Amino acid sequence: MNKCLLLGNGGREAVLAEQISKGFSLYAILPYANPSVVQAVEKSGGKVILGDPFDQELVKKFVQEEKIEACVVSQDNLLQEGLIDLARELGLKTFGPTAKGAKVEWSKSYALDIVQKLAPEMVIRNESIDTLEKLEEVMKNYEEDSFVVKPEGLTGGKGVKVGGIHFNGRQEGMEYAKDCLQADGTVIIQDKVEGREFTVMALTDGKNIVVTPTTFDYPYRFDEDKGPGTGGMGCLSFENGLLPFLEQKDIDQCSKLIKDTIQYVNQDNLEFTGVIYGGFFKCKQGIKFIEFNARFGDPEAINVLNSLETPFCEVMENIWEQKLSEENCKFKKNYTFTVYVVSPDYAIQKADPIEFTLNTKAILESDAKIYFASTKPAGENCYQSVGTSRLFAIHTNGNTLEEARKKAYEAIENNIDRKLDYRKDIGEIYEH
């Protein structure tokens, strides 16, 4: 069996570990013992070591000592730091873009420049600003909070702030823009538009793309889309692969932009394989582009990889051989549902690590799955939070959305520690 290295340690990597371990001997370098990844490694007969996945000398030594043949990276900052570049230098088959390919995510102005060239009608009016004087000049064009502030670099899905939601009034928005400008040297000010937000994700071998079922994400911390933006509190997909407010022509338009972007990025060298997804708005004025991500979304990866009918390891092989197609990358016709469970302080304030109990056996027996993220074991059915991110995701699927939703919430309500928190309205996508 081939040996595959997975770098990263969130809920996205938990589901990737599950899928990779079905066809490869899985290896991992983890900053802490993510229970889902560790279990998948052990099940596959691979090896896990605790260490810093950003430490390229450690990665190189591990690859060479264990004679690893392939590498999967789907974490934004690991991609930006060139871990796929290192894996390629070591002769490994890779799933994920090089640092240059991942620039579509870690430089928002670069991504906007590409879309301006390929599909200018999809670009929302924006200004890329690199001086305080220019920022002050641009801000004169806006009434109160009719704009969006976008940091240039990576922010883990938490950096974009929308007027009237994340800040009130022009002055408050400008102060945040100044902070971004100081941190990155560039900040983007964009018009605020009205519309429904959605993402289109695609697997790619660098030449061909296969679009996955479209997912609906719940990015805000509290019910009714209130509170700060987060890495995502839940996600769902529908049986037909669409969302109720979308038509196939909408997906086709977004897919064309994604495919054209892959061709643009790869025009000189093969910089991009793996996953790319775009965020979009459906507006009265048509489909508008928000941003690109150069890897699986989290929690979207949990929904999409559980929808795969074709084994993920076969999809990886088809990507390496550049023969990816809709015939060899098929998806099931079902509803998928994911809810993230977090500490009460998540996205609100910095908190000390917490210990919590979780009846994992009962959850699995209830036809639900658990994917651990910022969590490590602390005893039997006892866990401890790591850092300040989300703790674990509960995932279900079903023949109807209500069936999947009911299974997920019953698994949570009956088996998790009462001190933990989660959104109660995942699945109610039309009511607010």
Side-chain angles (χ1 to χ4, degrees):
M1 183 182 288
N2 291 336
K3 297 179 177 182
C4 182
L5 173 65
L6 174 65
L7 297 176
N9 54 279
R12 166 183 49 229
E13 284 72 29
V15 69
L16 280 165
E18 175 191 58
Q19 297 293 325
I20 295 167
S21 67
K22 293 176 181 178
F24 294 91
S25 183
L26 181 63
Y27 290 71
I29 300 173
L30 300 174
Y32 56 87
N34 179 310
S36 297
V37 179
V38 171
Q39 182 182 36
V41 168
E42 292 173 347
K43 185 178 178 182
S44 75
K47 182 177 179 180
V48 61
I49 61 172
L50 295 183
D52 182 2
F54 289 91
D55 183 343
Q56 297 204 8
E57 286 304 313
L58 176 65
V59 173
K60 183 176 180 180
K61 182 182 177 184
F62 191 53
V63 166
Q64 291 174 336
E65 287 183 351
E66 301 297 334
K67 297 181 171 55
I68 294 169
E69 300 144 286
C71 180
V72 175
V73 182
S74 197
Q75 184 173 308
D76 52 10
N77 46 5
L78 286 169
L79 293 170
Q80 182 181 10
E81 291 298 316
L83 271 299
I84 286 292
D85 304 67
L86 174 65
R88 286 190 181 186
E89 289 167 14
L90 296 172
L92 276 60
K93 297 176 181 178
T94 57
F95 180 100
T98 65
K100 186 177 179 182
K103 190 177 180 181
V104 295
E105 177 168 8
W106 56 259
S107 173
K108 291 185 179 67
S109 56
Y110 173 70
L112 283 166
D113 286 345
I114 292 175
V115 179
Q116 186 66 50
K117 289 184 178 80
L118 300 176
E121 73 282 359
M122 297 178 76
V123 175
I124 302 168
R125 190 179 69 141
N126 68 89
E127 291 280 354
S128 183
I129 294 163
D130 56 9
T131 66
L132 182 58
E133 291 74 22
K134 187 174 180 182
L135 175 62
E136 291 172 343
E137 189 63 32
V138 167
M139 294 305 295
K140 293 176 183 176
N141 300 325
Y142 290 98
E143 298 284 332
E144 286 304 305
D145 44 28
S146 61
F147 60 95
V148 177
V149 181
K150 293 189 170 187
E152 166 70 358
L154 299 176
T155 58
K158 307 175 186 72
V160 175
K161 294 193 184 292
V162 180
I165 299 176
H166 302 115
F167 62 83
N168 294 306
R170 182 167 57 184
Q171 190 58 40
E172 191 175 324
M174 187 168 177
E175 290 305 316
Y176 178 61
K178 286 179 182 177
D179 291 342
C180 296
L181 181 61
Q182 186 173 10
D184 296 332
T186 305
V187 65
I188 293 165
I189 302 295
Q190 193 170 64
D191 286 3
K192 181 178 166 182
V193 298
E194 296 295 327
R196 299 299 297 270
E197 188 173 347
F198 65 99
T199 61
V200 176
M201 187 158 25
L203 292 148
T204 181
D205 59 13
K207 179 177 61 175
N208 309 294
I209 72 166
V210 173
V211 175
T212 74
T214 306
T215 56
F216 188 87
D217 180 39
Y218 289 74
Y220 295 104
R221 175 64 177 85
F222 298 115
D223 289 0
E224 300 180 358
D225 286 346
K226 293 180 179 177
T230 71
M233 294 295 291
C235 190
L236 57 85
S237 69
F238 286 75
E239 181 186 29
N240 63 358
L242 295 173
L243 297 175
F245 57 87
L246 294 176
E247 301 174 58
Q248 186 58 48
K249 66 178 184 179
D250 300 326
I251 303 300
D252 292 344
Q253 183 180 358
C254 299
S255 301
K256 183 179 186 307
L257 174 62
I258 288 171
K259 186 168 185 177
D260 290 348
T261 299
I262 289 295
Q263 290 177 344
Y264 181 92
V265 171
N266 287 335
Q267 60 187 326
D268 297 321
N269 296 293
L270 184 62
E271 304 288 353
F272 204 115
T273 69
V275 179
I276 181 171
Y277 81 89
F280 300 92
F281 274 118
K282 181 168 184 177
C283 309
K284 289 180 181 178
Q285 301 81 15
I287 303 296
K288 299 296 180 181
F289 169 77
I290 302 172
E291 64 183 5
F292 284 128
N293 285 318
R295 35 76 192 184
F296 277 114
D298 185 353
E300 294 93 338
I302 297 171
N303 296 68
V304 166
L305 289 174
N306 275 288
S307 291
L308 259 180
E309 187 175 283
T310 307
F312 182 61
C313 296
E314 289 184 20
V315 173
M316 290 166 63
E317 295 282 1
N318 290 326
I319 284 173
W320 295 332
E321 295 173 17
Q322 277 206 310
K323 62 178 188 181
L324 188 70
S325 72
E326 292 182 0
E327 294 304 309
N328 59 35
C329 182
K330 293 181 179 292
F331 292 89
K332 302 169 191 171
K333 303 290 186 183
N334 64 352
Y335 292 81
T336 68
F337 195 87
T338 300
V339 180
Y340 252 115
V341 178
V342 301
S343 76
D345 292 324
Y346 171 61
I348 307 301
Q349 62 186 26
K350 191 171 182 180
D352 293 329
I354 62 168
E355 285 198 358
F356 60 92
T357 56
L358 180 67
N359 192 338
T360 54
K361 183 180 178 183
I363 290 173
L364 296 174
E365 288 175 349
S366 72
D367 196 24
K369 289 183 173 185
I370 309 166
Y371 294 103
F372 287 99
S374 295
T375 299
K376 63 182 181 181
E380 187 175 356
N381 282 341
C382 186
Y383 301 88
Q384 184 177 4
S385 64
V386 180
T388 59
S389 195
R390 298 162 294 178
L391 300 177
F392 59 90
I394 299 295
H395 174 78
T396 57
N397 59 60
N399 295 317
T400 66
L401 179 61
E402 189 50 42
E403 177 192 344
R405 186 177 192 272
K406 186 169 183 285
K407 284 194 292 186
Y409 278 119
E410 284 182 354
I412 292 170
E413 290 158 7
N414 295 334
N415 299 294
I416 75 162
D417 196 314
R418 295 299 174 192
K419 71 168 69 106
L420 304 181
D421 197 16
Y422 55 94
R423 278 186 60 163
K424 317 297 190 294
D425 66 342
I426 308 300
E428 300 171 12
I429 69 173
Y430 327 112
E431 295 181 8
H432 45 79

